[in-house]
Amino acid sequence: MKFRHKVLILNLLLLSLTTGVVGFLLMQRSYRLTMDTAIKSAVTENNLVQSSVEYELLDLVNSGRYDLNISLPSIGDQVFSGMISGEEGLAIRYGEKYLYTSEKDFPKLTSDPEAGDLFDFGDEVRKNYLLTEEGGEHFLYVASNSTLDSKPLNIITRRNISDIHAMLDQSVREYREITLLILGVSAVLLYILSRLLTRPLESLRDTTDSFAEGDYSVRSRIRSADEVGMLSERFNSMADSVEDHVEELNDMVHRREQFVADFTHEIKTPMTSIIGYADTMRSLDLSKEEQQQALGYIFSEGKRLEAMSMKLFDLLYLKDHPIERKRISTTALAESVETSMKPLIVASGQILTLDVAPGVLEGDPELLKTVFINLIDNARKASKEGDVIEFTGREVPEGVSLRPEAGETGEGTEPADGPRYIFQIRDHGIGISEENQKKIFDEFFMVDKSRTRAAGGAGLGMSLVSIILQRHEAKIRLESKPGEGTIFTVAFSVPAGSGEEHAEQDMAG
């Protein structure tokens, strides 16, 4: 059953119950008031009749000559003809005998329980009344109680009150008709009102159906200050969150698919070279110089596969495992990186300058060493012979903000509140285009694939750098212009109580 039908039915039931109870109480009250008025009028009438009968009896008693069996019927007939209309009746009961009745079929009421308690007078009671139904008509009897010659004398008047019951029945019929009319009009109005009230809910239902079918861009258009409007806002907030998560999941799936495709492609290239040169050596009779050349290709491609597999292992491991943090001297870290990179820098005919101020970081020394080796190695590959690569470091006080750039990665806009330690690697090489800056931290991305592969790279270094820095809650920013060079800025939080005398100094290798 639809919600608006429930609202309609419940409101009609409530309205019917309310009008029924209120109508019943009002008609009952009106009936009681009318009956009270009729009873008071009948009692007053009975008093008048009793006074008239007693007045006539008083004359007879004073004369000393009377026979009640003869006189009372005459007095009753005289009083009835003079004071009571034809719609009413009169009876005079003396002792246990009715001496006068205005009608032949006037009921001989007694003290029998079936006839009521009209003559059940108490010590102080002088009037009684009785309501009866006779032949489909309703009558009100009133009896007075007095004593004459030690016998009870009862003056009984009867009034037909069928008109009161007829009026009640007519009122009930009219009330029922009016109630049905009101309920019919109310049903129409309530249905229209329920449609207006539930239309936003139906709109929200249609929106949720579209959302459930995969249209994550759909939003509720309901704008109201009531609970439905609040529900619409909550739904839109939920939809925004779900859409963001779905986009993230889709992006993750896409990245994984791209990762598998790129990894397959990157493995295929060296494997093709290795298989090709190995098959050449197996199937052809090569000179010693040609054999050495083929073995050199096999060796270099094998080393590239080894480097790729090691970096891939590091990527997968870092995503699912915690890192062990130690206090690290910035100068010791920089010197260790310089020692590791010096042979490659010298072989390339380039110059690496080192200007790192004393400071302390917290993290995994080998992983951070990997970060700067990769950054300097990228600078080496982008530079030509004779170029200078600058490796600097300094502590920045609290309040100095890093300018957010499109090429940033890491957790948050800043590493943390408080002072930070900033490393910079600057080269004056070929630079990186703005489009490539957005992809620089993707797996297997290479700005210049021919140059990277020739240098033994696999396109995993920068993605590894990004993950390591994220795990250290650090921030990296990239600034580059094609033809002018590149600057990588890495910001770390400075731990409390920093001092190089307590930092890890063993950065050999």
Side-chain angles (χ1 to χ4, degrees):
M1 182 182 294
K2 291 186 177 181
F3 180 70
R4 66 169 177 267
H5 295 159
K6 293 181 180 179
V7 172
L8 175 62
I9 293 174
L10 289 176
N11 278 279
L12 285 177
L13 289 175
L14 181 61
L15 181 61
S16 301
L17 180 63
T18 303
T19 54
V21 171
V22 171
F24 173 79
L25 294 177
L26 288 176
M27 285 188 287
Q28 282 292 103
R29 185 174 183 275
S30 176
Y31 173 74
R32 286 196 303 270
L33 290 175
T34 304
M35 287 301 300
D36 289 343
T37 301
I39 291 171
K40 289 178 182 179
S41 177
V43 170
T44 300
E45 185 180 53
N46 184 272
N47 287 333
L48 293 174
V49 172
Q50 181 184 9
S51 298
S52 298
V53 171
E54 289 178 351
Y55 180 79
E56 295 294 333
L57 286 174
L58 182 61
D59 288 341
L60 291 175
V61 172
N62 290 333
S63 66
R65 302 184 301 274
Y66 62 91
D67 184 351
L68 293 179
N69 291 326
I70 298 173
S71 301
L72 282 175
S74 176
I75 293 172
D77 187 59
Q78 181 182 354
V79 170
F80 175 74
S81 62
M83 299 188 65
I84 301 180
S85 66
E87 294 295 326
E88 298 172 345
L90 172 65
I92 300 177
R93 181 174 179 265
Y94 183 61
E96 298 294 332
K97 183 178 180 181
Y98 280 87
L99 298 182
Y100 173 79
T101 58
S102 60
E103 303 169 14
K104 293 182 179 181
D105 58 349
F106 196 99
K108 303 297 190 293
L109 301 174
T110 66
S111 296
D112 188 81
E114 294 182 359
D117 57 354
L118 184 62
F119 303 114
D120 184 15
F121 297 99
D123 295 337
E124 301 297 330
V125 178
R126 292 292 178 262
K127 296 285 182 182
N128 263 348
Y129 72 88
L130 178 67
L131 297 171
T132 65
E133 183 179 359
E134 303 166 11
E137 294 187 321
H138 297 269
F139 294 92
L140 170 61
Y141 290 88
V142 179
S144 64
N145 182 35
S146 59
T147 303
L148 181 62
D149 292 340
S150 302
K151 291 184 180 180
L153 175 64
N154 304 121
I155 308 300
I156 306 160
T157 56
R158 183 180 73 169
R159 173 177 290 188
N160 191 331
I161 58 171
S162 298
D163 57 337
I164 296 177
H165 287 270
M167 182 180 65
L168 177 63
D169 293 339
Q170 179 66 22
S171 298
V172 170
R173 285 193 299 271
E174 291 177 354
Y175 179 78
R176 186 182 296 119
E177 293 172 357
I178 294 173
T179 300
L180 290 175
L181 178 61
I182 292 175
L183 289 177
V185 174
S186 300
V188 175
L189 295 177
L190 285 172
Y191 181 77
I192 296 173
L193 181 62
S194 64
R195 282 296 301 268
L196 294 175
L197 290 176
T198 58
R199 185 176 297 170
L201 294 176
E202 293 178 352
S203 174
L204 187 59
R205 179 203 61 195
D206 295 337
T207 303
T208 55
D209 289 343
S210 299
F211 195 83
E213 292 172 358
D215 184 5
Y216 300 114
S217 63
V218 67
R219 293 294 182 272
S220 174
R221 304 295 182 184
I222 302 172
R223 297 292 182 270
S224 61
D226 56 10
E227 288 79 358
V228 177
M230 295 174 62
L231 179 62
S232 174
E233 293 178 2
R234 297 294 187 276
F235 172 82
N236 288 339
S237 299
M238 179 201 70
D240 291 338
S241 178
V242 170
E243 185 177 21
D244 291 341
H245 285 300
V246 169
E247 289 178 355
E248 289 178 6
L249 291 174
N250 289 335
D251 182 63
M252 183 185 302
V253 170
H254 174 73
R255 289 170 64 88
R256 287 185 177 180
E257 291 176 350
Q258 188 65 40
F259 178 87
V260 172
D262 291 343
F263 184 65
T264 303
H265 178 74
E266 292 300 325
I267 288 179
K268 181 180 179 181
T269 302
M271 288 300 296
T272 300
S273 298
I274 291 172
I275 293 172
Y277 283 110
D279 184 60
T280 300
M281 293 180 65
R282 181 180 62 85
S283 59
L284 298 177
D285 186 14
L286 302 176
S287 65
K288 187 173 183 61
E289 183 180 350
E290 290 173 334
Q291 289 180 3
Q292 288 296 324
Q293 185 180 10
L295 289 172
Y297 280 117
I298 292 173
F299 177 78
S300 63
E301 292 300 307
K303 292 295 289 183
R304 193 156 78 89
L305 278 176
E306 180 186 30
M308 187 189 307
S309 63
M310 292 302 295
K311 288 188 177 180
L312 181 60
F313 174 78
D314 289 340
L315 280 173
L316 297 176
Y317 183 84
L318 285 173
K319 289 181 179 179
D320 299 321
H321 292 79
I323 60 174
E324 182 180 357
R325 294 176 180 264
K326 299 179 181 179
R327 294 175 74 87
I328 307 167
S329 166
T330 56
T331 54
L333 174 62
E335 290 170 359
S336 177
V337 172
E338 181 188 30
T339 301
S340 298
M341 289 300 299
K342 191 171 184 178
L344 286 173
I345 295 294
V346 171
S348 301
Q350 297 158 353
I351 301 171
L352 175 63
T353 64
L354 189 65
D355 181 16
V356 176
V360 174
L361 305 176
E362 280 190 352
D364 187 306
E366 291 302 323
L367 291 178
L368 293 181
K369 182 178 178 180
T370 300
V371 167
F372 294 111
I373 286 176
N374 275 282
L375 292 176
I376 294 174
D377 193 44
N378 278 349
R380 178 186 66 84
K381 295 172 184 177
S383 302
K384 60 183 182 295
E385 186 177 353
D387 283 352
V388 177
I389 299 172
E390 303 169 17
F391 184 19
T392 62
R394 71 190 187 281
E395 186 171 326
V396 176
E398 181 179 2
V400 178
S401 176
L402 288 176
R403 185 174 72 257
E405 298 288 344
E408 287 185 355
T409 185
E411 299 293 334
T413 306
E414 299 287 348
D417 295 332
R420 291 148 297 156
Y421 197 94
I422 306 298
F423 286 101
Q424 281 191 337
I425 292 91
R426 178 193 295 266
D427 67 66
H428 304 278
I430 60 175
I432 305 171
S433 67
E434 185 175 348
E435 180 182 358
N436 288 336
Q437 289 181 35
K438 299 176 181 178
K439 308 174 185 177
I440 192 70
F441 297 103
D442 293 347
E443 292 93 346
F444 297 110
F445 178 77
M446 306 176 195
V447 175
D448 187 341
K449 293 190 177 182
S450 60
R451 180 191 297 267
T452 303
R453 286 174 179 158
L460 290 171
M462 294 307 294
S463 60
L464 183 60
V465 166
S466 175
I467 291 176
I468 292 174
L469 291 179
Q470 286 179 15
R471 298 304 302 274
H472 283 80
E473 298 167 358
K475 189 79 172 178
I476 184 169
R477 190 180 75 226
L478 167 62
E479 297 176 88
S480 184
K481 291 184 178 180
E484 296 184 13
T486 302
I487 302 175
F488 281 102
T489 303
V490 182
F492 294 90
S493 297
V494 175
S498 60
E500 283 209 321
E501 65 276 8
H502 302 295
E504 179 70 38
Q505 298 293 333
D506 186 12
M507 296 293 298

